[in-house]
């Protein structure tokens, strides 16, 4: 329980006010998902991608939970300061930084044992200079662009750079990685490009360390992508990368979080009234409208006003308007809902409010929960 005390405390003072949204996380559900992903990957080690603040769910909090998961071999992030924040929060699993870093943080990153990625010639020079000042060898990951076209060393140049890295006395390659695209035929081509480089390294006697390529989609779609480890993000949070994937039945995941917000205003609006700046929602029959203190600026998807539902008590109600800081819910002509009642906007409790159910109702993709603001408080439960 140690690491969770801080967030419990933060929540206790917050909970009494009930004026803001919050996120609840289930430790048991996260551990279940980690174990399931390990099965999906035929037992290969799982590197949990907790970038973008763990898709808005709290990188430190999810990282603390996964720190106890036997299936999780390590954590990967994209931002330097988040890697350090996780270490400062007591996370001990290996951490890989898949992005750039601020030179001023290099000491801190290395003293916190965070593996840096070489993703360009410039980043190689930068890391080489830092390594020259350190007593111990610096472990690096060779990040190769095999065709995603976004990050990494172009695959045509990676073999030669691997040789240069290997010849610098202060650096050791402990990981070699790339990221696959979704179309299977091109992903296969990417794997071939990747393996050509690792074979070249083998031939030259250069260790490539742990090799990994597979985000959630490839992990499911292409077993050849598993290599030495897999690197899922969204699966950890209980969502499949696409709706209705057959693997969802074979390896059921749990939705490990709830997004909640209290009702802060309740008014009966009359026929002809409207809600929102653009008068988006028109009241056609007198009805009770609840206001929740959460909007798109908090990361709640604004598409919710096009058909999403929230759970209040044991009933689902439609979202009829989303502004920057508020969302409105239609409760109908009569209601027993009161100010202070708590709505669940996303969670495991009903099919309509799971991330996938939400995505279907608003005709959007499964990554819609990617944006929750870091300022939304998190509360960790042992189980839901
Ligand atoms: C986001 C990301 C992942 C994980 O993607 P999911 O689709 O969420 O599984 C893996 N690797 C890299 C480099 C990424 O940027």
């Amino acid at each position: 329980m140690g690491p969770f005390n801080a967030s419990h405390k933060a929540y206790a003072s917050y909970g009494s006010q009930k004026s803001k949204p919050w996120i609840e996380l289930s430790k048991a559900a996260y551990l279940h998902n980690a174990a399931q992903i390990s099965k999906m990957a035929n037992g290969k080690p799982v590197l949990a991608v907790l970038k973008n603040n763990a898709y808005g769910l709290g990188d430190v909090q999810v990282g603390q939970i996964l720190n106890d998961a036997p299936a999780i071999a390590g954590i990967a992030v994209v931002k330097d300061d988040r890697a350090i924040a996780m270490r400062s929060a007591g996370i001990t699993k290996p951490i890989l930084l898949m992005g750039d870093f601020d030179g001023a943080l290099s000491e801190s990153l290395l003293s916190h044992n965070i593996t840096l990625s070489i993703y360009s010639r410039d980043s190689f020079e930068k890391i080489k200079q830092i390594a020259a000042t350190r007593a111990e060898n610096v472990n690096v990951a060779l990040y190769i662009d095999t065709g995603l076209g976004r990050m990494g060393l172009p695959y045509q140049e990676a073999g030669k750079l691997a040789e240069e890295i290997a010849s610098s006395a202060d650096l050791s390659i402990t990981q070699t990685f790339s990221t696959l695209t979704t179309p299977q035929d091109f992903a296969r081509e990417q794997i071939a490009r990747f393996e050509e480089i690792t074979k070249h390294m083998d031939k030259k006697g250069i260790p490539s360390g742990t090799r990994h390529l597979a985000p959630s989609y490839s992990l499911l779609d292409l077993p050849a992508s598993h290599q030495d480890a897999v690197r899922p993000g969204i699966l950890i949070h209980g969502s499949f990368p696409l709706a209705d994937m057959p693997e969802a039945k074979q390896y059921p995941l749990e939705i490990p979080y709830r997004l909640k917000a209290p009702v802060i205003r309740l008014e009966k609006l009359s026929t002809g009234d409207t809600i929102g700046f653009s008068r988006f929602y028109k009241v056609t029959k007198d009805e009770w409208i609840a206001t929740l203190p959460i909007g798109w600026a908090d990361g709640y998807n604004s598409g919710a006003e096009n058909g999403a539902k929230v759970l209040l008590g044991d009933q689902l109600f439609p979202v009829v308007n989303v502004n920057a800081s508020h969302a409105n819910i239609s409760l109908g002509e009569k209601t027993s809902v009161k100010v202070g009642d708590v709505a669940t906007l996303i969670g495991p409790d009903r099919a309509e409010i799971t991330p996938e159910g939400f995505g279907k109702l608003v005709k959007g993709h499964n990554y819609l929960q990617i944006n929750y603001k870091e300022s939304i408080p998190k509360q960790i439960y042992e189980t839901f």
Side-chain angles (χ1 to χ4, degrees):
M1 283 305 291
F4 304 137
N5 286 345
S7 51
H8 276 268
K9 240 179 248 154
Y11 178 69
S13 63
Y14 161 75
S16 54
Q17 307 170 25
K18 276 199 183 159
S19 63
K20 296 191 191 80
W22 71 93
I23 287 170
E24 298 175 352
L25 304 172
S26 161
K27 190 175 173 184
Y30 270 109
L31 297 181
H32 166 88
N33 291 348
Q36 289 290 81
I37 296 167
S38 170
K39 281 189 204 158
M40 294 174 199
N42 302 311
K44 289 279 170 72
V46 178
L47 303 178
V49 176
L50 300 184
K51 66 180 181 192
N52 304 339
N53 193 30
Y55 293 169
L57 295 162
D59 51 11
V60 162
Q61 293 84 355
V62 174
Q64 284 174 333
I65 293 173
L66 296 179
N67 207 44
D68 296 335
I72 301 296
I75 290 169
V77 291
V78 177
K79 296 261 182 343
D80 50 8
D81 53 335
R82 301 318 300 166
I84 292 168
M86 284 202 257
R87 276 283 182 265
S88 306
I91 293 163
T92 53
K93 298 260 187 198
I95 297 179
L96 167 65
L97 177 62
M98 305 191 294
D100 194 18
F101 62 93
D102 188 328
L105 291 181
S106 58
E107 274 298 315
S108 177
L109 288 162
L110 293 179
S111 63
H112 283 107
N113 198 19
I114 289 153
T115 302
L116 304 176
S117 293
I118 293 180
Y119 61 88
S120 66
R121 189 158 277 284
D122 285 347
S123 67
F124 171 46
E125 295 301 332
K126 184 168 157 185
I127 293 173
K128 204 162 64 171
Q129 279 179 20
I130 295 160
T133 68
R134 312 252 331 159
E136 286 159 26
N137 254 32
V138 168
N139 292 337
V140 294
L142 182 64
Y143 189 171
I144 304 168
D145 179 7
T146 53
L148 191 63
R150 169 178 93 168
M151 256 309 257
L153 297 155
Y155 67 98
Q156 301 92 333
E157 301 162 26
K160 188 171 171 299
L161 207 81
E163 290 177 41
E164 289 181 47
I165 297 169
S167 68
S168 15
D170 309 310
L171 300 178
S172 311
I173 299 173
T174 55
Q175 300 183 46
T176 298
F177 73 104
S178 185
T179 309
L180 298 180
T181 59
T182 309
Q184 202 190 78
D185 51 349
F186 189 61
R188 285 185 195 282
E189 168 66 23
Q190 286 183 276
I191 293 172
R193 291 172 180 175
F194 185 80
E195 289 179 345
E196 198 178 307
I197 296 160
T198 54
K199 276 191 196 121
H200 174 78
M201 291 167 76
D202 287 347
K203 220 166 56 201
K204 298 268 173 183
I206 304 167
S208 48
T210 308
R211 292 160 297 188
H212 46 96
L213 289 167
S216 296
Y217 185 82
S218 319
L219 190 171
L220 295 162
D221 187 52
L222 198 53
S225 73
H226 296 177
Q227 303 280 316
D228 298 326
V230 295
R231 215 176 55 233
I234 196 162
L235 285 169
I236 310 256
H237 307 293
S239 290
F240 284 76
L242 294 178
D244 300 317
M245 291 187 82
E247 293 84 355
K249 289 217 165 63
Q250 197 183 347
Y251 304 102
L253 298 177
E254 292 175 16
I255 304 304
Y257 65 98
R258 291 194 182 102
L259 174 66
K260 288 188 161 183
V263 173
I264 57 164
R265 178 187 188 256
L266 202 58
E267 288 296 334
K268 193 162 193 184
L269 299 195
S270 309
T271 308
D273 287 346
T274 62
I275 307 175
F277 291 108
S278 63
R279 310 194 73 197
F280 173 78
Y281 182 70
K282 295 180 177 59
V283 175
T284 56
K285 201 174 164 200
D286 295 6
E287 62 177 333
W288 286 96
I289 298 291
T291 301
L292 305 178
I294 182 168
W296 52 257
D298 301 295
Y300 183 56
N301 192 271
S302 62
E305 64 190 13
N306 299 314
K309 304 227 150 93
V310 306
L311 187 65
L312 261 161
D314 59 0
Q315 240 185 303
L316 291 165
F317 296 98
V319 179
V320 294
N321 179 63
V322 179
N323 285 154
S325 318
H326 298 104
N328 292 103
I329 313 300
S330 165
L331 303 174
E333 221 177 335
K334 288 207 177 97
T335 188
S336 55
V337 170
K338 293 184 188 57
V339 167
D341 286 358
V342 174
T344 305
L345 297 95
I346 301 283
D349 312 280
R350 296 291 168 86
E352 292 88 341
I353 62 166
T354 63
E356 185 161 320
F358 179 93
K360 281 182 182 167
L361 287 176
V362 308
K363 298 179 179 59
H365 59 67
N366 270 11
Y367 288 74
L368 285 175
Q369 77 275 34
I370 218 153
N371 274 323
Y372 301 134
K373 257 208 174 159
E374 201 187 326
S375 55
I376 299 182
K378 320 291 183 302
Q379 184 187 14
I380 300 173
Y381 287 80
E382 287 298 318
T383 187
F384 278 167

